Amino acid sequence: MFSVGLVCSAGGWRGDPWHSGVINQLHTAAGWDARSADLMIGTSAGSFTITALRAGIDPIDLAARHEGNPISTDGQAIIDRIVTPYEEPAEARGWHPSSPSMSVKAIWPPWKSDPVRFALGAMPRGKLNGGAITTRINELLPDGWPEKPTWIVAVRSNDGRRVVFGRDDVRGNVGQACQASSAIPAVYQTVKIGEREYIDGAVHSATNADLAAMAGFDLVIVSSVMTATADSRSWLRDPQRTWFSQKLDEEVEAIRSRGTAVVVVEPDRETLAHLDETDKTARGSMVSLGRQAAERVLAGRDGETIRSLIERAAH
C-alpha cells in the first residue's frame, strides 16, 4: 500500500488557512484526501490543521470554514462539537528572561549554537493565556488522541529540547499538546503539563519534517507557510524565513536520503508579496494563496511526477 506522511508548519494566524488551501487544492487537482495520511506532523498552527483532519473534516470543508462558504452537514456537525468561545485573556508578567538556561544551552558548545533558541530564551514570558486552545481541541476530539499516528511538536522551555506529543513518552492530552505547540515565546504563557513547561515547536523548526525521515513512507507532503522557495530567500530582507527555509532544506534531504519522495509547498517571491499585504481578517485570501502555491507545484517542472505520486496516494 502506498504510504503518505503529511507535515503542516507553524505560521501564526496564516498557518491553518494556508494549509487548508494547500490540502484543498491537492484534493481538487489530484483526488487526494489528506484525512487518509498515515502520519500527520503539526507544529504550532499546523497542529490545528491536523487535528481538524483527524476529527474528520474533509478537504472541502477545511477550506470553506475559512472562506465563509457553506459547509457540509457532516462537517458542521464536527465543528459544532466546539462550544467554548475562543479568548486570550492577558495576565501580568515579569520582565526577566523566560528561560536563561535555554539561552545558555543554545550557545554551548559554540559550534552547535542556535541563535533562535538563544534569543527566545532571553525574552520575557508571554502574557496571553491560550488555555481555550486546550479546551476547544479536546471538544473537537472528544475521544482523545486519534488512532492513526498524530504528532504535535513543542519545545521544553527549560532546556530547549524538542518534544513530540503523540510519539514521545510525555504527559499531555491532544488539546494540551496543541496549546503547548503554539505557545509563541514572549506572546503566550508557557504551558505546564505535569512538572514540565513547554513553548512553541517552531523554536526548534517551523516544520520539523525530519521526524518523518525514519518512517519509510513512499511520499511526504510538506505544507509550509514560514519558508520560501530557494530563489525567494534573503538573509537581509527576511532572516527568520531564510533560517527556517534552510532548516527545511536539511529536513527534506534527511527524508530523501531514506528513499522517500518529498513534495514541498511553500511561498515563492510573488506569494511572499501577497503575504505581506494580507491582514488577519482575510483568512479566505490565505486559503487562496495556499491553493495557488499547490497548483504552482503541480504545474512546475516536476509537476507530472508529483501529480502521479499524489494520485497514487489517492487510490
Side-chain angles (χ1 to χ4, degrees):
M1 186 177 72
F2 196 85
S3 56
V4 182
L6 172 65
V7 177
C8 292
S9 76
W13 71 268
R14 294 180 174 88
D16 190 21
W18 165 276
H19 300 317
S20 298
V22 170
I23 289 165
N24 180 271
Q25 184 60 30
L26 295 180
H27 174 71
T28 300
W32 181 61
D33 188 335
R35 293 177 296 179
S36 68
D38 297 278
L39 168 67
M40 295 187 188
I41 300 170
T43 301
S44 198
S47 70
F48 303 150
T49 308
I50 68 170
T51 50
L53 288 167
R54 286 300 196 221
I57 299 175
D58 70 30
I60 297 172
D61 288 335
L62 205 66
R65 65 194 177 125
H66 292 298
E67 296 177 302
N69 292 331
I71 295 174
S72 71
T73 301
D74 289 344
Q76 192 62 54
I78 295 170
I79 294 170
D80 286 346
R81 295 173 189 167
I82 302 173
V83 296
T84 300
Y86 187 74
E87 298 176 336
E88 296 179 344
E91 300 179 6
R93 68 174 180 186
W95 289 98
H96 57 280
S98 60
S99 183
S101 61
M102 184 168 77
S103 291
V104 171
K105 292 177 187 298
I107 58 172
W108 192 263
W111 55 88
K112 291 185 177 180
S113 63
D114 186 328
V116 173
R117 279 191 180 86
F118 175 79
L120 294 175
M123 290 181 176
R125 286 177 173 263
K127 64 179 181 178
L128 297 181
N129 185 326
I133 294 173
T134 291
T135 304
R136 288 166 62 88
I137 295 297
N138 285 337
E139 290 171 347
L140 182 66
L141 292 165
D143 295 328
W145 281 96
E147 291 185 9
K148 297 187 76 171
T150 306
W151 295 354
I152 297 172
V153 185
V155 165
R156 206 162 59 189
S157 65
N158 68 309
D159 58 6
R161 178 184 172 185
R162 178 170 69 180
V163 174
V164 185
F165 290 95
R167 185 200 70 171
D168 297 347
D169 185 18
V170 292
R171 297 184 184 182
N173 57 51
V174 64
Q176 289 174 316
C178 287
Q179 185 188 350
S181 183
S182 55
I184 302 170
V187 178
Y188 290 95
Q189 296 175 356
T190 57
V191 179
K192 188 170 184 179
I193 304 173
E195 299 302 314
R196 299 290 189 182
E197 292 186 346
Y198 300 92
I199 55 177
D200 198 316
V203 171
H204 180 86
S205 163
T207 42
N208 291 287
D210 60 302
L211 293 171
M214 299 294 290
F217 293 124
D218 295 297
L219 173 66
V220 171
I221 298 171
V222 181
S223 173
S224 176
V225 72
M226 290 193 72
T227 58
T229 55
D231 60 350
S232 306
R233 304 170 189 173
S234 169
W235 281 106
L236 181 63
R237 186 173 59 250
D238 196 338
Q240 182 188 67
R241 187 176 296 277
T242 303
W243 170 265
F244 284 137
S245 297
Q246 292 193 350
K247 293 271 283 189
L248 177 56
D249 289 346
E250 295 170 3
E251 294 165 1
V252 168
E253 180 57 33
I255 300 170
R256 287 179 173 155
S257 70
R258 300 277 177 174
T260 297
V262 184
V263 174
V264 177
V265 182
E266 60 189 343
D268 62 0
R269 193 180 305 279
E270 181 180 351
T271 304
L272 289 175
H274 290 297
L275 285 177
D276 292 339
E277 298 169 356
T278 306
D279 61 35
K280 290 185 178 182
T281 62
R283 299 178 74 87
S285 296
M286 285 305 305
V287 173
S288 296
L289 290 175
R291 277 202 193 96
Q292 292 165 18
E295 183 55 35
R296 170 175 47 80
V297 169
L298 293 173
R301 183 183 60 185
D302 300 320
E304 286 303 315
T305 300
I306 291 170
R307 186 184 295 270
S308 68
L309 284 170
I310 297 174
E311 287 175 347
R312 284 186 66 188
H315 296 95

Short mmCIF file of all heavy atoms in Angstrom, two decimals, residues 205 207-210 222 224 227-231 233 235 241-257 262 264 266:
data_model
loop_
_atom_site.label_atom_id
_atom_site.label_comp_id
_atom_site.label_asym_id
_atom_site.label_seq_id
_atom_site.Cartn_x
_atom_site.Cartn_y
_atom_site.Cartn_z
N SER A 205 12.02 24.17 14.91
CA SER A 205 11.90 24.22 13.45
C SER A 205 10.47 24.59 13.11
O SER A 205 9.53 24.15 13.78
CB SER A 205 12.25 22.86 12.84
OG SER A 205 11.77 22.75 11.50
N THR A 207 8.91 23.48 10.68
CA THR A 207 8.28 22.34 10.03
C THR A 207 8.48 21.01 10.77
O THR A 207 7.59 20.18 10.81
CB THR A 207 8.82 22.20 8.60
OG1 THR A 207 10.24 22.43 8.61
CG2 THR A 207 8.17 23.21 7.67
N ASN A 208 9.70 20.78 11.27
CA ASN A 208 10.02 19.51 11.95
C ASN A 208 9.76 18.30 11.06
O ASN A 208 9.39 17.22 11.52
CB ASN A 208 9.23 19.40 13.27
CG ASN A 208 9.71 20.40 14.31
OD1 ASN A 208 10.78 20.24 14.88
ND2 ASN A 208 8.92 21.44 14.53
N ALA A 209 9.97 18.50 9.76
CA ALA A 209 9.69 17.44 8.80
C ALA A 209 10.64 16.25 8.94
O ALA A 209 10.32 15.14 8.51
CB ALA A 209 9.77 17.99 7.37
N ASP A 210 11.82 16.47 9.54
CA ASP A 210 12.78 15.38 9.69
C ASP A 210 12.23 14.22 10.52
O ASP A 210 12.73 13.09 10.43
CB ASP A 210 14.07 15.89 10.33
CG ASP A 210 13.83 16.47 11.72
OD1 ASP A 210 13.02 17.42 11.83
OD2 ASP A 210 14.45 15.98 12.68
N VAL A 222 4.82 18.29 2.47
CA VAL A 222 5.10 19.35 3.43
C VAL A 222 4.40 20.62 2.98
O VAL A 222 4.67 21.14 1.89
CB VAL A 222 6.61 19.61 3.56
CG1 VAL A 222 6.87 20.71 4.60
CG2 VAL A 222 7.36 18.33 3.93
N SER A 224 4.22 24.42 4.03
CA SER A 224 4.97 25.33 4.89
C SER A 224 4.79 26.77 4.48
O SER A 224 5.23 27.19 3.40
CB SER A 224 6.46 24.97 4.86
OG SER A 224 7.22 25.90 5.61
N THR A 227 8.41 29.23 5.25
CA THR A 227 9.64 29.13 4.49
C THR A 227 9.41 29.76 3.12
O THR A 227 8.38 30.38 2.88
CB THR A 227 10.07 27.66 4.35
OG1 THR A 227 9.01 26.92 3.71
CG2 THR A 227 10.35 27.06 5.73
N ALA A 228 10.38 29.61 2.22
CA ALA A 228 10.24 30.18 0.88
C ALA A 228 11.08 29.37 -0.10
O ALA A 228 12.06 28.73 0.29
CB ALA A 228 10.68 31.64 0.86
N THR A 229 10.69 29.41 -1.36
CA THR A 229 11.47 28.73 -2.38
C THR A 229 12.88 29.31 -2.41
O THR A 229 13.12 30.46 -2.01
CB THR A 229 10.80 28.90 -3.76
OG1 THR A 229 10.62 30.30 -4.03
CG2 THR A 229 9.45 28.20 -3.79
N ALA A 230 13.83 28.51 -2.90
CA ALA A 230 15.24 28.88 -2.83
C ALA A 230 15.54 30.23 -3.49
O ALA A 230 16.39 30.99 -3.00
CB ALA A 230 16.09 27.78 -3.47
N ASP A 231 14.84 30.55 -4.57
CA ASP A 231 15.11 31.80 -5.29
C ASP A 231 14.37 33.00 -4.69
O ASP A 231 14.44 34.11 -5.22
CB ASP A 231 14.75 31.65 -6.77
CG ASP A 231 13.27 31.30 -6.98
OD1 ASP A 231 12.58 31.00 -5.99
OD2 ASP A 231 12.81 31.34 -8.15
N ARG A 233 14.53 33.69 -1.17
CA ARG A 233 15.03 33.93 0.18
C ARG A 233 16.03 35.08 0.22
O ARG A 233 16.71 35.36 -0.75
CB ARG A 233 15.71 32.67 0.73
CG ARG A 233 14.83 31.45 0.71
CD ARG A 233 15.62 30.20 1.02
NE ARG A 233 14.84 29.00 0.79
CZ ARG A 233 15.32 27.78 0.85
NH1 ARG A 233 16.60 27.59 1.14
NH2 ARG A 233 14.53 26.73 0.62
N TRP A 235 18.64 36.77 3.39
CA TRP A 235 19.03 36.98 4.79
C TRP A 235 18.82 38.43 5.20
O TRP A 235 18.48 38.72 6.35
CB TRP A 235 20.49 36.60 4.98
CG TRP A 235 20.73 35.13 5.09
CD1 TRP A 235 21.28 34.30 4.16
CD2 TRP A 235 20.40 34.30 6.23
NE1 TRP A 235 21.31 33.02 4.64
CE2 TRP A 235 20.79 32.97 5.89
CE3 TRP A 235 19.83 34.54 7.47
CZ2 TRP A 235 20.62 31.91 6.78
CZ3 TRP A 235 19.66 33.48 8.36
CH2 TRP A 235 20.06 32.18 8.00
N ARG A 241 12.68 33.85 7.96
CA ARG A 241 12.17 32.93 6.94
C ARG A 241 13.32 32.16 6.28
O ARG A 241 13.19 30.96 5.98
CB ARG A 241 11.36 33.72 5.89
CG ARG A 241 10.66 32.82 4.87
CD ARG A 241 9.81 33.65 3.91
NE ARG A 241 8.72 34.33 4.59
CZ ARG A 241 7.55 33.79 4.89
NH1 ARG A 241 7.31 32.52 4.57
NH2 ARG A 241 6.62 34.49 5.50
N THR A 242 14.43 32.84 6.06
CA THR A 242 15.58 32.17 5.45
C THR A 242 16.14 31.11 6.38
O THR A 242 16.52 30.01 5.94
CB THR A 242 16.65 33.21 5.09
OG1 THR A 242 16.08 34.19 4.21
CG2 THR A 242 17.83 32.56 4.40
N TRP A 243 16.18 31.41 7.67
CA TRP A 243 16.65 30.43 8.66
C TRP A 243 15.76 29.18 8.64
O TRP A 243 16.26 28.05 8.56
CB TRP A 243 16.64 31.08 10.05
CG TRP A 243 16.86 30.13 11.19
CD1 TRP A 243 15.92 29.52 11.95
CD2 TRP A 243 18.12 29.69 11.71
NE1 TRP A 243 16.49 28.72 12.91
CE2 TRP A 243 17.84 28.81 12.79
CE3 TRP A 243 19.45 29.95 11.38
CZ2 TRP A 243 18.85 28.19 13.54
CZ3 TRP A 243 20.45 29.34 12.13
CH2 TRP A 243 20.14 28.47 13.18
N PHE A 244 14.46 29.38 8.69
CA PHE A 244 13.54 28.25 8.69
C PHE A 244 13.63 27.49 7.35
O PHE A 244 13.48 26.26 7.32
CB PHE A 244 12.10 28.72 8.91
CG PHE A 244 11.80 29.08 10.34
CD1 PHE A 244 11.06 30.22 10.64
CD2 PHE A 244 12.22 28.28 11.38
CE1 PHE A 244 10.76 30.55 11.95
CE2 PHE A 244 11.92 28.60 12.71
CZ PHE A 244 11.19 29.74 12.98
N SER A 245 13.86 28.21 6.26
CA SER A 245 13.95 27.57 4.95
C SER A 245 15.16 26.64 4.88
O SER A 245 15.07 25.52 4.35
CB SER A 245 14.05 28.62 3.84
OG SER A 245 12.89 29.42 3.79
N GLN A 246 16.27 27.09 5.41
CA GLN A 246 17.46 26.26 5.39
C GLN A 246 17.30 25.04 6.29
O GLN A 246 17.78 23.95 5.97
CB GLN A 246 18.69 27.08 5.79
CG GLN A 246 19.05 28.13 4.76
CD GLN A 246 20.42 28.73 4.97
OE1 GLN A 246 21.07 28.53 5.99
NE2 GLN A 246 20.88 29.50 4.00
N LYS A 247 16.60 25.22 7.40
CA LYS A 247 16.29 24.07 8.26
C LYS A 247 15.44 23.06 7.49
O LYS A 247 15.69 21.84 7.55
CB LYS A 247 15.54 24.52 9.51
CG LYS A 247 16.34 25.38 10.47
CD LYS A 247 17.08 24.55 11.49
CE LYS A 247 16.16 24.04 12.58
NZ LYS A 247 16.90 23.40 13.70
N LEU A 248 14.44 23.55 6.76
CA LEU A 248 13.59 22.65 5.98
C LEU A 248 14.39 21.94 4.90
O LEU A 248 14.18 20.74 4.64
CB LEU A 248 12.41 23.41 5.37
CG LEU A 248 11.47 22.59 4.48
CD1 LEU A 248 10.91 21.38 5.23
CD2 LEU A 248 10.33 23.46 3.95
N ASP A 249 15.31 22.65 4.25
CA ASP A 249 16.16 22.01 3.25
C ASP A 249 16.89 20.80 3.85
O ASP A 249 16.96 19.73 3.23
CB ASP A 249 17.19 22.99 2.71
CG ASP A 249 16.60 24.06 1.81
OD1 ASP A 249 15.43 23.90 1.38
OD2 ASP A 249 17.29 25.05 1.55
N GLU A 250 17.41 20.97 5.05
CA GLU A 250 18.13 19.88 5.72
C GLU A 250 17.18 18.73 6.05
O GLU A 250 17.53 17.55 5.91
CB GLU A 250 18.78 20.41 7.00
CG GLU A 250 19.88 21.44 6.76
CD GLU A 250 20.34 22.10 8.05
OE1 GLU A 250 19.83 21.72 9.13
OE2 GLU A 250 21.20 23.01 7.97
N GLU A 251 15.98 19.07 6.48
CA GLU A 251 14.99 18.05 6.82
C GLU A 251 14.57 17.25 5.59
O GLU A 251 14.45 16.02 5.63
CB GLU A 251 13.77 18.70 7.48
CG GLU A 251 14.08 19.34 8.82
CD GLU A 251 13.00 20.28 9.31
OE1 GLU A 251 11.98 20.45 8.61
OE2 GLU A 251 13.18 20.87 10.39
N VAL A 252 14.36 17.96 4.48
CA VAL A 252 13.96 17.29 3.23
C VAL A 252 15.07 16.36 2.76
O VAL A 252 14.81 15.24 2.32
CB VAL A 252 13.61 18.34 2.15
CG1 VAL A 252 13.49 17.68 0.78
CG2 VAL A 252 12.31 19.05 2.51
N GLU A 253 16.31 16.81 2.87
CA GLU A 253 17.43 15.97 2.46
C GLU A 253 17.50 14.71 3.32
O GLU A 253 17.78 13.61 2.80
CB GLU A 253 18.75 16.75 2.59
CG GLU A 253 19.98 15.96 2.20
CD GLU A 253 19.93 15.43 0.78
OE1 GLU A 253 19.33 16.08 -0.10
OE2 GLU A 253 20.49 14.33 0.55
N ALA A 254 17.20 14.85 4.62
CA ALA A 254 17.21 13.68 5.50
C ALA A 254 16.14 12.68 5.09
O ALA A 254 16.35 11.46 5.15
CB ALA A 254 17.00 14.12 6.95
N ILE A 255 14.98 13.17 4.68
CA ILE A 255 13.90 12.28 4.26
C ILE A 255 14.26 11.60 2.93
O ILE A 255 14.13 10.39 2.78
CB ILE A 255 12.57 13.05 4.11
CG1 ILE A 255 12.16 13.69 5.44
CG2 ILE A 255 11.46 12.12 3.63
CD1 ILE A 255 11.00 14.66 5.33
N ARG A 256 14.73 12.39 1.99
CA ARG A 256 15.06 11.84 0.67
C ARG A 256 16.21 10.84 0.73
O ARG A 256 16.28 9.90 -0.07
CB ARG A 256 15.39 12.98 -0.29
CG ARG A 256 14.14 13.75 -0.72
CD ARG A 256 14.45 14.89 -1.65
NE ARG A 256 13.21 15.49 -2.15
CZ ARG A 256 13.10 16.75 -2.57
NH1 ARG A 256 14.18 17.55 -2.58
NH2 ARG A 256 11.95 17.22 -2.99
N SER A 257 17.12 11.03 1.69
CA SER A 257 18.24 10.10 1.82
C SER A 257 17.77 8.70 2.19
O SER A 257 18.52 7.73 2.04
CB SER A 257 19.23 10.62 2.87
OG SER A 257 18.68 10.53 4.18
N VAL A 262 9.56 13.57 -1.61
CA VAL A 262 9.06 14.69 -0.81
C VAL A 262 8.49 15.76 -1.73
O VAL A 262 9.12 16.13 -2.73
CB VAL A 262 10.18 15.31 0.05
CG1 VAL A 262 9.60 16.42 0.95
CG2 VAL A 262 10.88 14.26 0.90
N VAL A 264 7.18 19.67 -1.42
CA VAL A 264 7.13 20.85 -0.54
C VAL A 264 6.30 21.93 -1.21
O VAL A 264 6.59 22.32 -2.35
CB VAL A 264 8.54 21.38 -0.23
CG1 VAL A 264 8.45 22.64 0.62
CG2 VAL A 264 9.38 20.31 0.47
N GLU A 266 5.41 25.77 -0.62
CA GLU A 266 5.81 26.93 0.17
C GLU A 266 5.71 28.18 -0.70
O GLU A 266 5.59 28.08 -1.93
CB GLU A 266 7.24 26.75 0.70
CG GLU A 266 8.28 26.58 -0.39
CD GLU A 266 9.65 26.19 0.14
OE1 GLU A 266 9.91 26.35 1.35
OE2 GLU A 266 10.48 25.72 -0.68
#
